[in-house]
Amino acid sequence: MYLDLIVTNGNIVTASEILDSKQEIGIQDGRIICLGESLPRQPQTKVIDAQGAYITPGGVDSHVHLAQSESPDGDNWETGTRGAIAGGTTTVLAFASQRKTDETLLPTLRDYHSKARGQAHCDYGFHFILTNPTPNIVDEELKILVEEEGISSVKLYMTYEPMKLNDRAILDIMMAARQLGITTMIHAENSDIIALITERLEKRNLTAPFYHAVSRPQIAEGEATHRAISLAELIDVPVLIVHVSSEIAMNHIRDAQTRMLPIHGETCPHYLLLLSERLQAPDFEGAKTVCSPPLRHEPRDLAAIWKGVANGTFTTLSSDHAPTKFSSPYGKTLGRKNGFPVFRDIPNGLPGIETRIPLMFNQSTGLNAKISLPQFVQITSSKPAALYGLSGVKGNIAPGYDADLVIWYPPGHQFGQNEDSDQFCISANDLHHDCDYTPYEGMRLQNWPRYTILRGQVVWDRDGGRYCGKERCRPILEKKQGGHSYWADWWHWNGNDGW
């Protein structure tokens, strides 16, 4: 048996267990061929010594915003996926977004493919955001997108005036999704509650960034989540409630799951680690952490979401990477009018594509770990892969899977020369996305990806040259298989002359 690459001397973390360092990973033609002891080596076989560190699957980030037309100041595909690779994510699922004026979806998808083509540093696919679900789109085009373009999911908004849909439109899409076997993702917040509170706050001149969080209370998220679940139960269709931030919404999801309904939940690192006090930072700096749903107010809110991660309520943990710059004509400072803050006009979203995997890994190791390492793999890799049709290909370390791996630093590694040299300090200056800040500035971690391997090729080497992949790529279309549409347009490394 000829192997291109062997990864040895590491503790392999799968979705179900941790294998000891005697087990090696054998890789051939970009896929994992075997796991075993003392695998055969030929002169051409490359060997990477993990030096006793953990080895985890490449991350699958199933909720990122890249080069979206409504966010001209955000990351493009080159910068966003470069950051993904540097942070241990090897697969991203981004959004193709329909405008309210669009009467067809196919040109929109072609446009988003053109933005990504030749730029991606990692494998990727698309969800489709629907804002104008005409009868032709619902009855005809969705079928084409699923069967010919490999789209496996659509996203709907219950808030935001340019994008929100009423319940009838949501029901129509759910019925089509049921027939096609695809997942419906829902941004669940009650638009009327938010509008009422916002108007009353503005009448009292309470418009600083902090009041963004006040305007979107937990009950607005909870009511919309319960309504979305009710609509899904009526149609008998699987849905994913995205970026859940509140215990009320989480409990609705948990209750539905106990009734054996196919309801999934997603949350994000910022709802586990950050509080709304960040919105009160001086000099309009609080605008950097404006997102929807907003950061919540109390440590017990963070603890509640952690409980949902630990007990399996959440299927996925994504970054919801939406990297609007702070200092830019199209950035967060749009919410400052003539020197006065107007939270309504602050673009929503936080950068997080590069920090997601390291933040969660560091919450999965050590004496104060909140989840186990197999749970970390499940929520950041294997479960999102399975939800979007990539089971058996992405998200785990086992024979037959793509050889997407993250090798961490071994215990006791020194990151610097100061008194905290055994810790990695997050700084926007060191990250690779195209954003001028990170909400995790100054946070210290015990570890960071040392190597990222994408289909058997080292594309991130933090010690020896850092980013070492290539962005030229070619598409391979995955068609509908076995009644479920599989993820479209991912990109394969040919192992010889680039992409």
Side-chain angles (χ1 to χ4, degrees):
M1 177 174 59
Y2 170 73
L3 296 174
D4 301 321
L5 174 67
I6 294 173
V7 181
T8 188
N9 193 24
N11 297 294
I12 301 168
V13 186
T14 74
S16 59
E17 61 184 332
I18 303 175
L19 306 176
D20 65 37
S21 59
K22 294 180 181 179
Q23 297 295 314
E24 299 178 327
I25 304 171
I27 298 166
Q28 185 183 73
D29 296 330
R31 291 187 179 272
I32 298 170
I33 299 300
C34 58
L35 303 178
E37 298 183 20
S38 302
L39 295 179
R41 291 148 165 82
Q42 284 76 33
Q44 304 94 326
T45 302
K46 297 179 181 178
V47 178
I48 295 179
D49 184 353
Q51 301 180 342
Y54 286 113
I55 306 169
T56 59
V60 178
D61 194 345
S62 57
H63 189 147
V64 303
H65 300 271
L66 297 174
Q68 286 195 235
S69 55
E70 65 269 27
S71 301
D73 197 48
D75 263 321
N76 60 32
W77 278 89
E78 194 278 330
T79 58
T81 57
R82 184 179 61 197
I85 287 291
T89 289
T90 52
T91 304
V92 299
L93 296 175
F95 293 96
S97 183
Q98 179 195 25
R99 294 179 294 266
K100 277 285 189 182
T101 55
D102 290 342
E103 297 290 333
T104 178
L105 301 179
L106 300 179
T108 299
L109 183 59
R110 287 195 294 268
D111 178 52
Y112 277 92
H113 275 307
S114 70
K115 295 177 181 179
R117 187 169 293 115
Q119 299 298 314
H121 291 292
C122 68
D123 289 346
Y124 71 91
F126 286 110
H127 314 287
F128 221 112
I129 295 174
L130 298 182
T131 60
N132 182 25
T134 65
N136 180 63
I137 287 173
V138 173
D139 298 335
E140 303 296 335
E141 288 198 357
L142 282 182
K143 184 178 180 180
I144 296 172
L145 290 174
V146 170
E147 295 185 351
E148 298 184 17
E149 299 291 344
I151 298 296
S152 65
S153 49
V154 294
K155 183 182 179 183
L156 315 178
Y157 285 86
M158 301 174 79
T159 187
Y160 298 141
E161 287 301 324
M163 309 180 84
K164 71 177 183 179
L165 301 177
N166 60 31
D167 290 354
R168 175 54 193 271
I170 293 173
L171 286 168
D172 287 339
I173 295 168
M174 284 182 172
M175 291 187 72
R178 186 179 189 276
Q179 292 174 332
L180 296 168
I182 63 176
T183 299
T184 303
M185 308 165 70
I186 298 180
H187 179 140
E189 289 184 287
N190 184 300
S191 183
D192 291 329
I193 289 176
I194 294 167
L196 181 145
I197 298 175
T198 298
E199 290 168 7
R200 289 175 175 263
L201 288 170
E202 289 176 342
K203 286 180 180 179
R204 299 175 60 187
N205 294 320
L206 300 175
T207 58
F210 176 75
Y211 291 100
H212 170 81
V214 176
S215 72
R216 308 176 95 96
Q218 289 202 31
I219 196 170
E221 186 181 3
E223 185 282 328
T225 297
H226 182 269
R227 180 158 40 101
I229 292 170
S230 298
L231 300 178
E233 185 175 7
L234 175 69
I235 305 300
D236 186 25
V237 66
V239 299
L240 172 72
I241 308 299
V242 299
H243 45 51
V244 174
S245 72
S246 76
E247 184 176 13
I248 298 172
M250 183 188 73
N251 287 340
H252 287 313
I253 295 168
R254 186 69 173 177
D255 177 67
Q257 292 168 346
T258 61
R259 294 190 289 118
M260 303 301 291
L261 297 177
I263 307 300
H264 302 279
E266 170 198 271
T267 194
C268 310
H270 42 280
Y271 300 129
L272 297 166
L273 301 170
L274 305 178
L275 292 170
S276 64
E277 62 190 20
R278 295 293 192 98
L279 295 161
Q280 295 178 309
D283 299 324
F284 201 63
E285 292 278 321
K288 292 179 177 179
T289 45
V290 166
C291 59
S292 294
L295 303 180
R296 299 304 177 185
H297 304 304
E298 303 290 340
R300 65 179 180 229
D301 297 321
L302 305 183
I305 301 300
W306 271 117
K307 181 179 178 181
V309 171
N311 68 21
T313 299
F314 294 109
T315 303
T316 68
L317 190 143
S318 74
S319 66
D320 191 8
H321 180 69
T324 301
K325 292 185 178 70
F326 180 69
S327 300
S328 166
Y330 301 102
K332 296 285 188 177
T333 51
L334 280 173
R336 185 153 45 185
K337 308 292 185 182
N338 299 318
F340 294 96
V342 181
F343 72 79
R344 180 201 289 265
D345 295 330
I346 300 172
N348 276 257
L350 311 176
I353 199 169
E354 186 169 349
T355 50
R356 178 187 71 114
I357 289 287
L359 287 169
M360 291 302 102
F361 181 84
N362 281 268
Q363 297 289 333
S364 310
T365 56
L367 297 176
N368 297 317
K370 293 183 170 64
I371 56 175
S372 69
L373 280 167
Q375 284 178 306
F376 159 78
V377 169
Q378 291 166 22
I379 201 166
T380 61
S381 299
S382 65
K383 285 186 176 181
L387 183 64
Y388 297 108
L390 291 173
S391 184
V393 179
K394 300 288 185 181
N396 208 355
I397 300 176
Y401 280 76
D402 282 358
D404 295 354
L405 306 172
V406 180
I407 303 175
W408 301 82
Y409 282 95
H413 179 79
Q414 300 297 299
F415 287 98
Q417 305 298 320
N418 57 31
E419 59 183 8
D420 295 319
S421 60
D422 61 339
Q423 296 180 341
F424 180 91
C425 184
I426 297 177
S427 170
N429 292 330
D430 296 329
L431 299 180
H432 297 77
H433 60 226
D434 185 23
C435 194
D436 53 3
Y437 74 96
T438 170
Y440 308 105
E441 185 75 35
M443 189 174 291
R444 293 188 175 275
L445 306 179
Q446 298 298 320
N447 218 319
W448 192 268
R450 185 178 191 178
Y451 302 105
T452 301
I453 298 174
L454 174 64
R455 279 173 274 103
Q457 300 288 332
V458 176
V459 291
W460 167 254
D461 177 355
R462 187 175 179 274
D463 297 327
R466 302 219 167 184
Y467 179 75
C468 46
K470 301 177 182 179
E471 65 272 13
R472 292 182 294 111
C473 51
R474 61 184 177 87
I476 292 182
L477 191 64
E478 290 287 337
K479 298 292 184 68
K480 188 173 179 180
Q481 302 178 19
H484 295 278
S485 63
Y486 279 64
W487 172 65
D489 209 30
W490 48 292
W491 307 84
H492 281 267
W493 181 284
N494 65 25
N496 299 310
D497 58 353
W499 292 84

Coordinates of all heavy atoms in Angstrom, one line a residue, residues 274-325:
L274 N -19.4 36.5 24.9 CA -19.5 38.0 25.0 C -20.9 38.4 25.5 O -21.9 37.8 25.2 CB -19.3 38.6 23.6 CG -18.0 38.2 22.8 CD1 -18.0 38.9 21.5 CD2 -16.8 38.6 23.6
L275 N -20.9 39.5 26.2 CA -22.1 40.1 26.8 C -22.3 41.5 26.2 O -21.4 42.1 25.6 CB -22.0 40.2 28.3 CG -21.9 38.9 29.1 CD1 -21.6 39.1 30.6 CD2 -23.3 38.2 29.0
S276 N -23.5 42.0 26.4 CA -23.9 43.3 25.8 C -23.2 44.5 26.4 O -23.2 45.5 25.8 CB -25.4 43.5 26.0 OG -25.8 43.6 27.4
E277 N -22.5 44.3 27.5 CA -21.7 45.4 28.0 C -20.6 45.8 27.0 O -20.2 47.0 27.0 CB -21.0 44.9 29.3 CG -20.0 43.8 29.1 CD -19.5 43.2 30.4 OE1 -20.2 43.4 31.5 OE2 -18.5 42.5 30.4
R278 N -20.3 45.0 26.0 CA -19.4 45.4 25.0 C -19.9 46.5 24.1 O -19.2 47.3 23.6 CB -19.1 44.2 24.1 CG -18.3 43.0 24.7 CD -16.9 43.4 25.1 NE -16.1 42.3 25.4 CZ -15.3 41.6 24.6 NH1 -15.1 42.0 23.4 NH2 -14.6 40.6 25.0
L279 N -21.2 46.6 24.0 CA -21.9 47.6 23.2 C -21.8 49.0 23.9 O -22.1 50.0 23.2 CB -23.4 47.3 23.0 CG -23.6 46.0 22.2 CD1 -25.1 45.5 22.5 CD2 -23.5 46.3 20.7
Q280 N -21.3 49.0 25.1 CA -21.2 50.3 25.8 C -19.8 50.9 25.7 O -19.5 51.9 26.4 CB -21.6 50.1 27.3 CG -23.1 49.8 27.5 CD -23.4 49.6 28.9 OE1 -22.8 48.8 29.6 NE2 -24.5 50.2 29.4
A281 N -18.9 50.3 25.0 CA -17.6 50.8 24.8 C -17.6 52.2 24.3 O -18.4 52.6 23.5 CB -16.8 49.9 23.9
P282 N -16.7 53.1 24.8 CA -16.7 54.5 24.4 C -16.2 54.7 23.0 O -15.7 53.8 22.3 CB -15.6 55.1 25.4 CG -14.7 54.0 25.8 CD -15.6 52.7 25.8
D283 N -16.4 56.0 22.6 CA -16.0 56.4 21.2 C -16.6 55.6 20.1 O -16.0 55.3 19.1 CB -14.5 56.4 21.1 CG -13.8 57.3 22.1 OD1 -14.4 58.4 22.4 OD2 -12.7 56.9 22.6
F284 N -17.9 55.2 20.3 CA -18.6 54.4 19.3 C -18.1 53.0 19.1 O -18.5 52.3 18.2 CB -18.7 55.2 18.0 CG -19.9 54.8 17.1 CD1 -21.2 54.9 17.5 CD2 -19.6 54.2 15.9 CE1 -22.2 54.5 16.7 CE2 -20.7 53.9 15.0 CZ -22.0 54.0 15.5
E285 N -17.1 52.6 19.9 CA -16.5 51.3 19.7 C -17.5 50.2 19.9 O -17.3 49.1 19.4 CB -15.3 51.1 20.7 CG -14.1 52.0 20.3 CD -13.2 51.4 19.3 OE1 -13.0 50.2 19.3 OE2 -12.7 52.2 18.4
G286 N -18.5 50.5 20.7 CA -19.5 49.5 20.9 C -20.2 49.0 19.7 O -20.8 47.9 19.6
A287 N -20.2 49.8 18.6 CA -20.8 49.4 17.3 C -20.1 48.2 16.8 O -20.7 47.5 16.0 CB -20.7 50.6 16.3
K288 N -18.9 47.9 17.1 CA -18.2 46.7 16.6 C -18.9 45.4 17.0 O -18.7 44.4 16.3 CB -16.8 46.7 17.2 CG -15.9 47.8 16.6 CD -14.5 47.7 17.2 CE -13.5 48.8 16.6 NZ -12.2 48.7 17.2
T289 N -19.7 45.4 18.1 CA -20.3 44.2 18.5 C -21.8 44.2 18.3 O -22.6 43.5 18.9 CB -20.0 43.8 19.9 OG1 -20.1 45.0 20.7 CG2 -18.6 43.3 20.1
V290 N -22.3 45.0 17.3 CA -23.7 45.0 17.0 C -24.0 43.9 16.0 O -23.3 43.8 15.0 CB -24.1 46.4 16.3 CG1 -25.5 46.2 15.6 CG2 -24.1 47.5 17.3
C291 N -24.8 43.0 16.4 CA -25.2 41.8 15.6 C -26.7 41.5 16.0 O -27.2 41.9 17.0 CB -24.3 40.6 15.9 SG -24.2 40.1 17.6
S292 N -27.3 40.6 15.1 CA -28.7 40.3 15.4 C -28.8 38.7 15.2 O -28.4 38.2 14.2 CB -29.6 41.0 14.4 OG -29.6 42.4 14.7
P293 N -29.4 38.1 16.2 CA -29.9 38.6 17.5 C -28.7 39.2 18.3 O -27.5 38.9 18.0 CB -30.4 37.4 18.3 CG -30.8 36.4 17.2 CD -29.8 36.7 16.1
P294 N -29.0 40.1 19.2 CA -27.9 40.8 19.9 C -27.2 40.0 21.0 O -27.7 38.9 21.4 CB -28.6 42.0 20.5 CG -29.9 41.5 20.8 CD -30.3 40.5 19.7
L295 N -26.0 40.5 21.4 CA -25.4 39.9 22.6 C -26.4 40.1 23.8 O -27.1 41.2 23.9 CB -24.1 40.6 22.9 CG -23.0 40.6 21.8 CD1 -21.8 41.3 22.2 CD2 -22.8 39.1 21.4
R296 N -26.4 39.1 24.7 CA -27.3 39.2 25.8 C -26.6 39.8 27.0 O -25.4 40.1 27.0 CB -27.9 37.8 26.1 CG -28.7 37.2 24.9 CD -29.8 38.2 24.5 NE -30.6 37.7 23.3 CZ -31.5 38.3 22.7 NH1 -31.9 39.6 23.1 NH2 -32.1 37.8 21.7
H297 N -27.4 40.0 28.1 CA -27.0 40.9 29.1 C -26.2 40.3 30.3 O -25.4 40.9 30.9 CB -28.2 41.7 29.7 CG -28.9 42.4 28.6 ND1 -28.3 43.4 27.8 CD2 -30.2 42.4 28.3 CE1 -29.2 43.9 27.0 NE2 -30.4 43.3 27.2
E298 N -26.6 39.0 30.7 CA -26.1 38.5 32.0 C -25.3 37.2 31.7 O -25.5 36.5 30.8 CB -27.3 38.1 32.8 CG -28.3 39.2 33.1 CD -27.7 40.2 34.1 OE1 -26.7 39.9 34.8 OE2 -28.2 41.4 34.1
P299 N -24.3 37.0 32.7 CA -23.5 35.7 32.6 C -24.4 34.5 32.5 O -24.1 33.5 31.9 CB -22.7 35.8 33.8 CG -22.5 37.2 34.1 CD -23.8 37.9 33.7
R300 N -25.6 34.5 33.2 CA -26.4 33.4 33.1 C -27.0 33.1 31.7 O -27.3 32.0 31.4 CB -27.6 33.5 34.1 CG -28.6 34.7 33.8 CD -29.7 34.8 34.8 NE -30.6 35.9 34.4 CZ -31.0 36.8 35.3 NH1 -30.6 36.7 36.5 NH2 -31.9 37.7 34.9
D301 N -27.0 34.1 30.9 CA -27.4 33.9 29.5 C -26.4 33.1 28.7 O -26.7 32.2 27.9 CB -27.6 35.3 28.8 CG -28.8 36.1 29.4 OD1 -29.8 35.5 29.8 OD2 -28.6 37.3 29.5
L302 N -25.1 33.4 29.0 CA -24.0 32.6 28.4 C -24.1 31.2 28.9 O -23.9 30.2 28.1 CB -22.7 33.2 28.7 CG -22.4 34.7 28.3 CD1 -21.0 35.1 28.7 CD2 -22.7 35.0 26.9
A303 N -24.3 31.0 30.2 CA -24.3 29.7 30.8 C -25.5 28.9 30.2 O -25.3 27.7 30.0 CB -24.5 29.8 32.3
A304 N -26.6 29.5 29.9 CA -27.7 28.8 29.3 C -27.4 28.3 28.0 O -27.7 27.1 27.6 CB -29.0 29.7 29.3
I305 N -26.7 29.1 27.1 CA -26.4 28.6 25.8 C -25.3 27.5 25.9 O -25.4 26.5 25.1 CB -25.9 29.8 24.9 CG1 -27.0 30.9 24.8 CG2 -25.5 29.3 23.5 CD1 -28.3 30.4 24.2
W306 N -24.4 27.6 26.8 CA -23.4 26.6 27.0 C -24.1 25.2 27.3 O -23.7 24.2 26.9 CB -22.4 26.9 28.1 CG -21.2 27.7 27.6 CD1 -20.8 28.9 27.9 CD2 -20.2 27.1 26.7 NE1 -19.6 29.2 27.2 CE2 -19.2 28.2 26.5 CE3 -20.0 25.9 26.0 CZ2 -18.1 28.0 25.7 CZ3 -18.9 25.8 25.2 CH2 -18.0 26.8 25.0
K307 N -25.1 25.3 28.1 CA -25.9 24.1 28.5 C -26.5 23.5 27.3 O -26.4 22.3 27.1 CB -27.0 24.5 29.5 CG -27.8 23.3 30.0 CD -28.9 23.7 31.0 CE -29.7 22.5 31.4 NZ -30.8 22.9 32.4
G308 N -27.0 24.3 26.3 CA -27.5 23.8 25.1 C -26.5 23.1 24.2 O -26.8 22.2 23.5
V309 N -25.3 23.7 24.2 CA -24.2 23.0 23.5 C -23.8 21.7 24.1 O -23.7 20.7 23.4 CB -22.9 24.0 23.5 CG1 -21.7 23.3 22.9 CG2 -23.2 25.2 22.7
A310 N -23.7 21.7 25.4 CA -23.3 20.4 26.1 C -24.3 19.3 26.0 O -24.0 18.1 26.0 CB -23.0 20.8 27.6
N311 N -25.6 19.7 26.1 CA -26.7 18.6 26.1 C -27.1 18.2 24.7 O -28.1 17.4 24.5 CB -27.8 19.0 27.0 CG -28.7 20.2 26.5 OD1 -28.7 20.5 25.3 ND2 -29.4 20.8 27.4
G312 N -26.6 18.8 23.6 CA -26.9 18.4 22.3 C -28.0 19.2 21.6 O -28.5 18.8 20.5
T313 N -28.6 20.2 22.3 CA -29.7 20.9 21.7 C -29.2 21.6 20.4 O -30.0 21.6 19.4 CB -30.2 22.0 22.6 OG1 -30.7 21.4 23.8 CG2 -31.3 22.9 22.0
F314 N -28.0 22.0 20.3 CA -27.5 22.7 19.1 C -26.8 21.7 18.2 O -25.9 20.9 18.6 CB -26.5 23.8 19.5 CG -27.2 25.0 20.2 CD1 -26.9 25.2 21.5 CD2 -28.1 25.8 19.5 CE1 -27.6 26.2 22.2 CE2 -28.7 26.8 20.2 CZ -28.5 27.1 21.5
T315 N -27.2 21.6 17.0 CA -26.6 20.8 16.0 C -25.3 21.3 15.4 O -24.4 20.6 15.2 CB -27.6 20.6 14.8 OG1 -28.8 20.0 15.3 CG2 -27.0 19.6 13.8
T316 N -25.3 22.6 15.3 CA -24.1 23.3 14.7 C -23.7 24.5 15.5 O -24.5 25.1 16.2 CB -24.4 23.8 13.2 OG1 -25.3 24.8 13.2 CG2 -24.9 22.6 12.4
L317 N -22.4 24.8 15.4 CA -21.8 26.0 16.0 C -21.1 26.7 14.9 O -20.0 26.2 14.4 CB -20.9 25.7 17.2 CG -20.5 26.9 18.0 CD1 -20.4 26.6 19.4 CD2 -19.2 27.5 17.5
S318 N -21.6 27.8 14.4 CA -21.0 28.5 13.2 C -20.4 29.8 13.7 O -20.6 30.2 14.8 CB -22.1 28.7 12.2 OG -23.0 29.7 12.6
S319 N -19.7 30.5 12.8 CA -19.2 31.8 13.1 C -20.2 32.9 12.8 O -20.1 33.9 13.4 CB -17.9 32.0 12.2 OG -18.2 32.1 10.9
D320 N -21.2 32.7 11.9 CA -22.0 33.7 11.3 C -21.1 34.9 10.9 O -21.3 36.1 11.3 CB -23.1 34.2 12.3 CG -24.1 35.1 11.6 OD1 -24.0 35.3 10.4 OD2 -24.9 35.7 12.4
H321 N -20.0 34.6 10.2 CA -19.0 35.6 9.9 C -19.6 36.6 8.9 O -20.0 36.4 7.8 CB -17.8 34.9 9.1 CG -16.7 35.7 8.7 ND1 -15.9 36.4 9.5 CD2 -16.3 36.1 7.4 CE1 -14.9 37.0 8.9 NE2 -15.2 36.9 7.6
A322 N -19.7 37.9 9.5 CA -20.3 39.0 8.7 C -19.4 40.2 9.0 O -19.7 41.0 9.8 CB -21.7 39.2 9.1
P323 N -18.3 40.3 8.3 CA -17.2 41.2 8.7 C -17.2 42.6 8.2 O -16.3 43.0 7.5 CB -15.9 40.4 8.2 CG -16.5 39.8 6.9 CD -17.9 39.5 7.1
T324 N -18.3 43.3 8.6 CA -18.3 44.7 8.2 C -17.2 45.5 8.9 O -17.1 45.4 10.1 CB -19.7 45.3 8.5 OG1 -20.7 44.6 7.8 CG2 -19.7 46.8 8.1
K325 N -16.4 46.3 8.2 CA -15.3 47.0 8.9 C -15.9 48.1 9.8 O -17.1 48.4 9.7 CB -14.5 47.7 7.8 CG -13.6 46.8 7.0 CD -12.7 47.6 6.0 CE -11.8 46.7 5.2 NZ -12.6 45.9 4.2

